[in-house]
Amino acid sequence: MRSSVKTNRLALISFVSGVLAALIVALVFVVYNLLEPASAIINLTDAVLMPLRNVLLLAAMVTGVLGLLDIKKKDGAERGKGFAWVGIVVSAAWIIFGLLVGLFFLSAR
């Protein structure tokens, strides 16, 4: 039996963006630690994958928050709170981790 309640699109976009950003982080980890990266691969990761990850994290955060607000406004007409929360938590965790790493390297100077 299928439910007639639709999943909020913003919540779904948040989830997909957060998962894609996590996959990019895993790919970069594999490239840098398990393979011997050539300069072309390093340029690809630094010039393409890292900015793409940052955009996806920002998209996951923004669409997650907007999705939660939209779900609340529609009062049960849509579902997807879990998807929105996964996107928010994944993006917040990576943003906080990135800030901590940046602060660590600034203090190590």
Side-chain angles (χ1 to χ4, degrees):
M1 186 169 138
R2 292 188 68 176
S3 173
S4 63
V5 180
K6 295 169 69 175
T7 302
N8 185 280
R9 287 185 181 169
L10 290 172
L12 200 54
I13 291 170
S14 175
F15 176 77
V16 171
S17 298
V19 169
L20 284 176
L23 289 175
I24 288 174
V25 168
L27 178 65
V28 169
F29 176 80
V30 167
V31 166
Y32 275 105
N33 293 310
L34 301 179
L35 303 174
E36 288 190 32
S39 64
I41 293 175
I42 292 174
N43 289 339
L44 174 72
T45 59
D46 290 346
V48 176
L49 292 179
M50 300 307 268
L52 179 61
R53 180 208 58 191
N54 295 339
V55 168
L56 287 171
L57 289 174
L58 187 60
M61 178 70 74
V62 171
T63 57
V65 170
L66 292 176
L68 285 176
L69 292 173
D70 199 27
I71 291 169
K72 184 178 180 180
K73 185 170 77 173
K74 292 185 179 176
D75 197 32
E78 288 185 337
R79 61 183 179 180
K81 284 184 182 179
F83 286 138
W85 277 112
V86 168
I88 291 169
V89 168
V90 167
S91 63
W94 279 110
I95 289 169
I96 290 169
F97 177 74
L99 291 173
L100 290 175
V101 168
L103 288 173
F104 173 77
F105 281 110
L106 280 176
S107 68
R109 281 184 162 185

